[in-house]
Amino acid sequence: MTTRGSRSEKVKRIFQQFDANRDGGLNREEMAALVVAVNPRVKFSEEQISAILDEVFRTYGEFIDGEKGLTFDGLLRTYDDGAGDVDRDFDALGLELKPSEEKNGISLAAEEAASSSSIADERVMEPHKKQRTVAWASSPNHGIVFDDTWKLVDDLEILIKRLKSKQSKDGKVKNDNSDVYSDPGWSRELGPSVEITEKMVIWEESGHDYAVFVKELGVLRSRADGARSREEAFDGHMAIGRVLYEHYLFKEALVSFKRACELQPTDVRPHFRAGNCLYVLGRHTEAKGEFLLALEAAEAGGNQWAYLLPQIHVNLGIALEGEGMLISACEHYREAAILCPTHFRALKLLGSALFGVGEYKAAIKALEEAIYMKNDYADAHCDLASALHAVGDDDNAIKEFQKAIDLKPGHIDALYNLGGLYMDMGRYQRASEMYTRVLGVWPNHWRAQLNKAVSLLGAGETDEAKKALKEALKMTNRVELHDAISHLKQLQKKKLKGNGSGNGEEAYMTVEPSKFKTVGEKTTLRPELAVALDIRAFQRITRLNRCEVELIKKQMNESDVPDSYSGIGIPEKSIRKASLEGVLRKLLNFLKPETFTGAVKAVNQKILSVLDDRESGRVDLGMFFAVLSPICGGSPDKRKRLAYDALLWRPVNEGSTQILKSDALRYIKLLRAIYIPSHGISEMLEIHGEMDNSMVSLTEFNAMFDDQEWGFGIMSTLLKLETGDRTRHGRHVCSTCRYPIIGSRFKEMKSHFSLCSQCYSEGKVPPTCKQEEYRFKEYASESEAVKDKCMWFSLHSKGSSPPAP
């Protein structure tokens, strides 16, 4: 153990180093120089230095020698009282003991360090461990402040090393990359889930070794709680949390950060760190809550936290994405990019989120800016390629996908999406090669396996396609795979190739609408069916048909939205798109985040793009509810009643029992512009300036709504699809696409071929059945067809019987 004499000698050397005027005392200027020099990791402000010196000179007043300042005995007493660590300060100043001050070849400093901890032997043998934490711990903004905290960090590193050693022997530690340390940079520590899973050390938490570790960790936490001040306890818990996070012990790190939040609730850092832990643990909603607290604290703290604000916005955006809230995430990515214009990751995330909600042009701009700043950003190249493909720029999309793959050969998304692009272009062989590469990286990717089968089919390699389909079936038992296999059998049976493949008979020809005639009143007209199928597809993507109208009514009653004025001077209850996304989340709370993301994209592209035609970023909430009502769950009368109530709720009709006719007309034309765009756009152009101040009752509104020519009469066809579009018709397959018929079956009465709803709506007929006109009868179920057939036989037999005598 180091003697008082050896400590005294070290303190004397430190004292002499800073007694610049050699007067036997350290004045305020000399003492300030000492404080700064022995804390190289801390960037003190003048106010902090002044406060520290005031405390020292007040506490050790008996050792102050007039203007000379703190005497040597006074400095020695500060170290004896634990105000500093002699060895650390001595090392930080680069001082050395004389040879005579060594004992048996071991420096007294090393001996004292060895005796100061119960984990002494391992600490002496790990001289490099501090370098691991230096990237963050030495930061003047959020590093270690107090010397005793370093002891906690050192002891914690040794505990983790012991745990790793024990679990490694038992083969319990997986994917150990803990010796790879790098500067985190912008938000890397949160990162996409793929990055984390590639590098994460997975600990076995149920065994005895881990329980012992947690118990010893509790002792370290108690030491932190027992610190001399609240600030030092906070510093200890933050450092413990950071070390645990670096070693992927996220649950334990969260405990430390939560304790730090209790100690200093208005400090940004513990909320930010806790949010990171929660996100990695998959608790996205809680993570969002912590990031919002961090943001609130940062904005209240002035410039003190300016350096962290962009990261908070980025990580809050990522947490919102985890909930499926892409529009809300975009707002925070934009804010981060404004606060830090060189933040290429914020721009990339902004571009990706914009792509996710269907804002392709804005996405391309953001992603191009990210790549301009960081040209080797593989993920940005991949997402830019997807956005370019979405706007039809396939040549440049291929180049960008290829850049992503060149930078990262195993880039799953780039390979998979490039395969999809080649499929869209009809380059089936190249597509199958891409899907093969995906399967080389991710062997159980069933969608890649299924798409490989489809691309092989397009390339005319039927046998290989059949093998690929069987492999996909082993991976998942989804019904679409069974349909795909049935489809393949039909193609083999008829020996038909895909339309335009050039190596076989064409599967169909397209006939103009005027040649399609209907038999019976129940048979849907081809143009009507095409529109209804489009709306039904929108319902499926958004799942809005599972949202009952009562839920929207409740949301409308609970929404307290102040009136605002639009560009044309009409009062509205308008809200930002991000807030509207929150309303949608409540209505569709049964959806998983990734499904909700798809729903928001569809709503943004189909509805919000029309409602926000001035691109103000705001939407009339009452009109939005009214537009949703026809495609939500509930009877037709309930849907129309909700639309009427939503229009009544708007400021222009508020307080009245009837709605303005001009408002009803505007609503009907918006409905048609959104759901029947081929007719609606021209109608919308006519509406501006139209102002009929007469009032409309619910009965009159329903009549306007149901009008086949100028209203939304298509709803009756939509209701028919909603109730029967999952109906199967035994072994009947469509004569053009060769898939099993699901939904209505349209039978041509002369040639007796059958079409599925989609092919009927698109006017596709078999090339072998050329006729001047085609007469179709619709069967909603196979029982209807059987009944019709029996009736035909009955009539036929009567007609062919000899006349009664």
Side-chain angles (χ1 to χ4, degrees):
M1 184 174 178
T2 305
T3 63
R4 167 80 180 181
S6 64
R7 287 173 61 80
S8 176
E9 183 60 33
K10 286 189 175 185
V11 175
K12 183 183 287 186
R13 296 287 298 279
I14 294 170
F15 185 88
Q16 291 169 349
Q17 178 90 355
F18 291 92
D19 184 12
N21 57 14
R22 301 287 184 248
D23 64 352
L26 300 177
N27 58 31
R28 288 182 71 91
E29 186 178 336
E30 292 166 339
M31 194 66 195
L34 189 156
V35 170
V36 171
V38 299
N39 292 284
R41 304 178 185 89
V42 183
K43 190 174 184 179
F44 293 107
S45 65
E46 290 183 11
E47 292 80 5
Q48 288 172 319
I49 290 287
S50 180
I52 292 169
L53 297 183
D54 288 345
E55 182 68 23
V56 171
F57 279 70
R58 182 173 61 251
T59 305
Y60 299 97
E62 60 186 294
F63 297 100
I64 303 299
D65 184 4
E67 293 183 1
K68 292 181 181 179
L70 188 69
T71 62
F72 163 73
D73 289 335
L75 185 61
L76 184 60
R77 177 61 68 86
T78 65
Y79 281 113
D80 286 346
D81 290 349
D85 186 302
V86 177
D87 299 319
R88 293 184 191 281
D89 290 358
F90 197 77
D91 291 342
L93 295 170
L95 301 175
E96 294 181 5
L97 291 171
K98 296 173 184 177
S100 60
E101 295 167 31
E102 293 188 357
K103 182 174 68 177
N104 298 328
I106 301 174
S107 72
L108 297 175
E111 187 180 274
E112 181 169 351
S115 65
S116 63
S117 168
S118 61
I119 318 175
D121 295 341
E122 291 180 64
R123 179 180 290 168
V124 173
M125 294 170 67
E126 277 273 18
H128 64 280
K129 65 191 167 303
K130 199 184 299 182
Q131 295 170 8
R132 294 181 171 188
T133 52
V134 75
W136 59 269
S138 62
S139 165
N141 292 315
H142 54 276
I144 291 173
V145 177
F146 294 89
D147 287 320
D148 280 354
T149 301
W150 275 109
K151 295 176 183 176
L152 289 173
V153 166
D154 291 345
D155 289 354
L156 178 54
E157 289 277 7
I158 291 163
L159 290 180
I160 293 170
K161 183 187 172 186
R162 282 181 181 173
L163 177 64
K164 190 194 308 175
S165 176
K166 289 175 182 177
Q167 290 204 350
S168 295
K169 285 179 183 176
D170 299 335
K172 292 176 181 176
V173 175
K174 297 176 183 176
N175 203 18
D176 180 9
N177 287 298
S178 55
D179 289 331
V180 180
Y181 292 88
S182 61
D183 184 9
W186 282 110
S187 311
R188 181 199 63 73
E189 64 187 273
L190 186 60
S193 56
V194 173
E195 281 182 28
I196 291 170
T197 52
E198 280 177 359
K199 297 179 180 179
M200 189 186 297
V201 178
I202 301 172
W203 301 92
E204 172 55 59
E205 298 179 4
S206 60
H208 173 71
D209 296 335
Y210 194 85
V212 171
F213 166 75
V214 171
K215 187 176 179 181
E216 291 173 328
L217 178 59
V219 173
L220 292 185
R221 287 193 175 120
S222 298
R223 277 170 54 187
D225 281 327
R228 288 183 293 269
S229 66
R230 196 179 189 88
E231 290 74 17
E232 189 169 343
F234 171 82
D235 192 47
H237 283 292
M238 283 297 291
I240 289 171
R242 290 296 301 271
V243 173
L244 290 166
Y245 189 100
E246 290 291 325
H247 287 281
Y248 305 100
L249 290 154
F250 300 117
K251 289 180 183 176
E252 301 305 328
L254 180 61
V255 173
S256 294
F257 292 136
K258 285 286 192 181
R259 176 65 181 132
C261 288
E262 293 170 6
L263 290 165
Q264 293 193 12
T266 58
D267 196 298
V268 174
R269 295 164 296 174
H271 292 297
F272 179 68
R273 302 292 170 199
N276 291 351
C277 287
L278 287 163
Y279 177 84
V280 177
L281 292 169
R283 294 156 64 179
H284 300 146
T285 302
E286 293 171 76
K288 178 184 73 174
E290 289 294 338
F291 288 136
L292 285 169
L293 289 171
L295 187 60
E296 185 182 335
E299 289 174 343
N303 291 331
Q304 180 186 4
W305 304 111
Y307 76 96
L308 196 54
L309 261 175
Q311 279 185 267
I312 296 170
H313 278 293
V314 165
N315 290 7
L316 175 54
I318 293 171
L320 284 163
E321 279 203 49
E323 291 187 305
M325 308 282 283
L326 261 63
I327 294 177
S328 302
C330 284
E331 291 201 340
H332 291 285
Y333 297 145
R334 278 195 192 95
E335 193 63 31
I338 291 167
L339 290 169
C340 181
T342 58
H343 198 327
F344 56 82
R345 189 160 185 261
L347 286 165
K348 184 268 169 191
L349 289 166
L350 173 60
S352 301
L354 286 167
F355 173 76
V357 294
E359 306 266 347
Y360 300 130
K361 290 182 181 177
I364 289 169
K365 186 178 178 183
L367 290 163
E368 284 177 340
E369 286 186 42
I371 290 169
Y372 178 76
M373 293 179 197
K374 184 176 172 58
N375 192 46
D376 62 347
Y377 204 161
D379 288 352
H381 283 291
C382 176
D383 289 354
L384 175 59
S386 296
L388 289 167
H389 176 45
V391 297
D393 189 356
D394 288 346
D395 290 340
N396 283 319
I398 291 172
K399 290 175 186 175
E400 291 299 327
F401 275 133
Q402 201 55 60
K403 284 178 188 174
I405 295 165
D406 290 343
L407 289 165
K408 188 177 177 183
H411 201 298
I412 292 284
D413 288 342
L415 291 166
Y416 184 84
N417 292 336
L418 181 53
L421 173 50
Y422 281 138
M423 285 262 282
D424 291 345
M425 295 175 74
R427 296 171 65 179
Y428 300 113
Q429 195 62 53
R430 289 288 289 147
S432 70
E433 290 169 15
M434 292 302 111
Y435 293 126
T436 301
R437 288 180 66 178
V438 171
L439 293 164
V441 181
W442 188 346
N444 292 322
H445 198 308
W446 73 265
R447 292 186 187 277
Q449 188 69 52
L450 176 59
N451 284 338
K452 179 183 176 181
V454 175
S455 57
L456 286 168
L457 192 60
E461 298 181 25
T462 312
D463 292 338
E464 291 299 315
K466 195 172 182 181
K467 288 178 188 175
L469 268 178
K470 286 181 178 177
E471 286 299 318
L473 198 57
K474 289 178 186 175
M475 296 176 191
T476 181
N477 201 30
R478 298 172 74 95
V479 68
E480 55 257 52
L481 288 176
H482 292 281
D483 285 346
I485 289 172
S486 175
H487 174 233
L488 184 56
K489 286 177 180 176
Q490 287 295 324
L491 285 181
Q492 285 180 310
K493 185 178 178 182
K494 295 289 184 181
K495 294 183 179 178
L496 292 175
K497 308 297 181 185
N499 194 50
S501 65
N503 56 359
E505 185 181 357
E506 286 191 347
Y508 62 83
M509 61 180 186
T510 305
V511 176
E512 62 183 65
S514 62
K515 291 188 176 182
F516 269 37
K517 308 294 183 184
T518 59
V519 176
E521 294 179 0
K522 292 183 179 180
T523 303
T524 310
L525 294 171
R526 173 178 152 187
E528 282 183 17
L529 183 61
V531 172
L533 283 171
D534 185 60
I535 298 171
R536 185 69 182 120
F538 179 69
Q539 280 182 317
R540 282 207 188 92
I541 293 169
T542 59
R543 312 299 202 277
L544 280 165
N545 56 306
R546 289 173 57 191
C547 171
E548 294 295 320
V549 291
E550 285 81 5
L551 276 175
I552 297 183
K553 182 75 175 175
K554 182 177 179 228
Q555 188 64 42
M556 202 161 60
N557 293 334
E558 292 175 357
S559 297
D560 185 18
V561 184
D563 293 355
S564 58
Y565 285 82
S566 66
I568 53 175
I570 299 173
E572 298 174 344
K573 292 182 185 292
S574 72
I575 61 174
R576 290 171 19 258
K577 281 187 180 182
S579 302
L580 184 66
E581 185 181 44
V583 171
L584 266 177
R585 196 72 186 102
K586 291 176 184 176
L587 295 175
L588 301 172
N589 59 6
F590 52 86
L591 294 184
K592 292 179 180 177
E594 59 272 19
T595 314
F596 178 71
T597 297
V600 170
K601 177 180 179 179
V603 168
N604 186 46
Q605 289 181 308
K606 196 172 189 73
I607 297 177
L608 303 188
S609 60
V610 177
L611 293 184
D612 183 27
D613 58 345
R614 296 184 300 276
E615 297 184 356
S616 64
R618 300 184 70 85
V619 175
D620 180 342
L621 187 59
M623 191 60 81
F624 177 73
F625 285 145
V627 165
L628 281 194
S629 60
I631 62 169
C632 288
S635 67
D637 289 341
K638 282 185 178 179
R639 297 186 201 187
K640 286 182 272 189
R641 179 67 207 223
L642 174 64
Y644 189 79
D645 288 344
L647 294 174
L648 268 178
W649 184 69
R650 300 176 71 240
V652 290
N653 299 307
E654 207 164 21
S656 173
T657 56
Q658 295 186 328
I659 61 175
L660 284 168
K661 187 172 184 180
S662 59
D663 213 34
L665 283 169
R666 182 168 182 268
Y667 165 66
I668 296 291
K669 290 185 177 181
L670 273 171
L671 262 190
R672 292 176 67 83
I674 290 166
Y675 297 116
I676 318 173
S678 58
H679 303 284
I681 292 170
S682 59
E683 291 170 12
M684 284 305 298
L685 296 175
E686 300 167 11
I687 195 169
H688 296 295
E690 193 176 316
M691 203 64 190
D692 187 336
N693 290 322
S694 60
M695 306 304 285
V696 172
S697 67
L698 176 60
T699 306
E700 292 169 321
F701 172 79
N702 286 344
M704 292 171 67
F705 188 98
D706 292 332
D707 188 284
Q708 283 294 126
E709 288 295 320
W710 300 107
F712 199 67
I714 195 71
M715 197 162 88
S716 58
T717 306
L718 178 63
L719 291 166
K720 190 195 289 187
L721 287 179
E722 287 178 8
T723 55
D725 64 0
R726 291 184 181 276
T727 305
R728 288 177 175 263
H729 294 259
R731 295 184 178 181
H732 285 284
V733 297
C734 177
S735 296
T736 58
C737 70
R738 313 307 302 172
Y739 268 93
I741 294 177
I742 303 171
S744 289
R745 175 163 72 96
F746 292 85
K747 182 179 179 182
E748 208 286 317
M749 304 310 289
K750 181 179 178 182
S751 298
H752 303 296
F753 64 83
S754 295
L755 298 180
C756 65
S757 297
Q758 194 65 46
C759 290
Y760 172 78
S761 70
E762 293 171 4
K764 295 175 179 177
V765 297
T768 54
C769 301
K770 291 182 181 179
Q771 297 171 194
E772 282 301 311
E773 67 174 25
Y774 299 83
R775 298 173 61 80
F776 287 96
K777 186 164 186 180
E778 180 179 357
Y779 293 108
S781 65
E782 194 55 24
S783 59
E784 281 187 16
V786 170
K787 191 185 294 182
D788 201 25
K789 195 172 185 180
C790 291
M791 192 177 292
W792 184 87
F793 275 122
S794 175
L795 289 170
H796 185 72
S797 61
K798 285 179 182 178
S800 60
S801 299

